[in-house]
Amino acid sequence: MISQRFIRSCSLLMLTVAAVSQGATYHVGNSLTWDAMYRSLPSVGKSLPDRGYHIRCSMPLPYIWEHPTDVCTPSPAPYGMIAEALGNFDWDAVTLQPHFGSTLATDTSAIVSMIDLVRSRPGNAATPIYIYETWPQQPWGKYQTVWTTPVPDADGELMLQRRDYYTHLYHRVDALTDANLRYVPAGEVLYRLSEMVDAGTLPGVTRMSQFYRDDLHMSSLGQYVAGTTMFTALSKVHPSQLWVGTSPAVSVGMDSTEGVINQVIMDVLLDDPRSGMADFNNDGYVTNVDLALWQLGDMRADANLDGLVDGADFVVWQRAAVPGQPPLDVEIASVPEPSTWLLAMLSLVGFRAWRAAS
């Protein structure tokens, strides 16, 4: 049977896709969200949208949902706190940060409730909702060991910053909503960097503690990682273009490190279909509609943000559209004209069109 998502994607082939506008983003979380977006990005480029936020220090999403007027830093006008903001404004993106004190079941419930509030406003029907993945505490042990420790997919499983927890949470939420669900893999970026630290291949960094300012929060260098991962995913602006003036990495004498970190951020985002980098038209699905934009050479199909629409971007699209499949052996120069290619794709009844976050 052909899925409703596939039918929907086919109907979109007849529509002209409008460019993504830059409006405003809203962020729900605690001090880790605050670190990533407001303390670590004081000189961020003008290409990014305006930002609203609801920050309740030390608390998880279920608490925030149940106590919508409790914040530890004022939420800016005109958006205000979560209850007023989510359902009363049109958003280009919303980020939600899980934290200690919740379980898989309670996190899932809170996130779905927040998504429903966002989408109660017609203008937010396709708004990307990002689950923001953070990182383990230092005292827990070696980063790679902690991050990859298995976590059961059980309702009562306590929230811990581990890869499995976020994966289970993402899939649970995805099963309960058809929202444009996405992902900010900051914890995974730090995992990749930890491997480089151990291998001695990350310039200027000899230990993971250099990314932290205490047991949990990020140093200036760590804030650069978290904030740049966040805003590269949200804006699809290359990390090197996000900054005006001196970034935290440069300010602490890590200018030679910055380019390496930027490449790791891009690699992680491109490897993870949930990031939305292959959703060229920003509709929440990775389908033949996005392939058509790539075939036309539309710059929205520049998945790796290198200024070119080429075979590398096609591979990103394919991995997201058909997860688990190896790249097709395609001669880029011989790819048929868009109409022929799309008709051929639509004739494949067995083709599975997957959403970017699948």
Side-chain angles (χ1 to χ4, degrees):
M1 180 180 293
I2 302 177
S3 71
Q4 290 299 311
R5 287 177 179 173
F6 182 62
I7 293 172
R8 180 175 181 272
S9 73
C10 293
S11 67
L12 287 172
L13 289 170
M14 305 301 173
L15 302 176
T16 300
V17 181
V20 178
S21 64
Q22 290 291 307
T25 62
Y26 198 81
H27 310 278
V28 182
N30 58 32
S31 56
L32 303 188
T33 291
W34 184 254
D35 270 0
M37 288 179 294
Y38 301 97
R39 293 176 61 180
S40 67
L41 298 178
S43 56
V44 76
K46 294 182 180 179
S47 60
L48 297 181
D50 191 20
R51 291 166 281 171
Y53 48 85
H54 183 113
I55 302 296
R56 176 54 174 92
C57 302
S58 303
M59 290 299 175
L61 292 174
Y63 177 92
I64 291 173
W65 179 247
E66 293 166 5
H67 302 82
T69 61
D70 185 9
V71 294
C72 62
T73 190
S75 298
Y79 310 120
M81 292 177 281
I82 186 172
E84 309 94 69
L86 292 186
N88 292 321
F89 294 89
D90 289 343
W91 299 109
D92 278 355
V94 173
T95 70
L96 308 173
Q97 178 225 317
H99 195 62
F100 312 124
S102 59
T103 66
L104 274 173
T106 59
D107 266 341
T108 300
S109 177
I111 291 173
V112 170
S113 295
M114 291 178 187
I115 289 174
D116 288 345
L117 180 56
V118 173
R119 302 182 82 214
S120 67
R121 185 174 174 86
N124 292 329
T127 296
I129 311 291
Y130 289 81
I131 294 177
Y132 172 41
E133 171 196 274
T134 58
W135 44 85
Q137 293 193 54
Q138 287 193 88
W140 292 357
K142 186 178 177 63
Y143 194 103
Q144 294 102 306
T145 302
V146 175
W147 186 246
T148 58
T149 298
V151 173
D153 186 2
D155 285 354
E157 192 64 30
L158 294 175
M159 191 280 163
L160 290 174
Q161 280 112 332
R162 293 174 176 169
R163 180 192 285 158
D164 273 4
Y165 184 91
Y166 292 105
T167 298
H168 298 325
L169 177 61
Y170 182 93
H171 288 301
R172 281 171 172 246
V173 174
D174 193 37
L176 295 175
T177 180
D178 63 352
N180 184 353
L181 189 63
R182 293 185 178 173
Y183 201 70
V184 177
E188 189 68 23
V189 170
L190 284 160
Y191 169 78
R192 298 267 186 103
L193 292 172
S194 74
E195 293 182 311
M196 297 181 70
V197 170
D198 281 358
T201 56
L202 185 59
V205 181
T206 59
R207 59 192 186 282
M208 281 302 291
S209 61
Q210 290 175 250
F211 290 103
Y212 292 79
R213 72 176 185 271
D214 56 31
D215 286 349
L216 177 60
H217 298 89
M218 294 280 96
S219 65
S220 292
L221 185 62
Q223 288 174 347
Y224 178 83
V225 174
T228 305
T229 302
M230 171 77 79
F231 284 105
T232 300
L234 267 61
S235 66
K236 294 187 179 178
V237 173
H238 193 277
S240 65
Q241 302 302 310
L242 288 178
W243 294 91
V244 174
T246 301
S247 76
V250 173
S251 68
V252 296
M254 296 292 182
D255 48 322
S256 64
T257 310
E258 186 174 309
V260 177
I261 291 175
N262 288 348
Q263 187 57 56
V264 171
I265 289 170
M266 285 302 306
D267 289 345
V268 171
L269 290 174
L270 294 171
D271 286 346
D272 192 337
R274 299 171 298 178
S275 70
M277 300 300 283
D279 180 15
F280 304 143
N281 69 339
N282 207 39
D283 71 344
Y285 301 83
V286 176
T287 66
N288 42 346
V289 178
D290 304 295
L291 181 62
L293 293 177
W294 174 83
Q295 184 69 14
L296 292 168
D298 191 303
M299 287 307 298
R300 284 173 289 172
D302 178 17
N304 60 0
L305 308 179
D306 66 351
L308 301 172
V309 176
D310 56 17
D313 305 305
F314 171 81
V315 170
V316 175
W317 172 85
Q318 189 202 18
R319 287 172 176 165
V322 191
Q325 298 297 314
L328 292 174
D329 184 13
V330 176
E331 290 290 339
I332 300 302
S334 65
V335 174
E337 290 300 312
S339 58
T340 305
W341 178 267
L342 294 177
L343 288 173
M345 292 296 291
L346 289 172
S347 69
L348 297 176
V349 176
F351 175 78
R352 296 180 298 165
W354 290 73
R355 199 159 54 134
S358 296

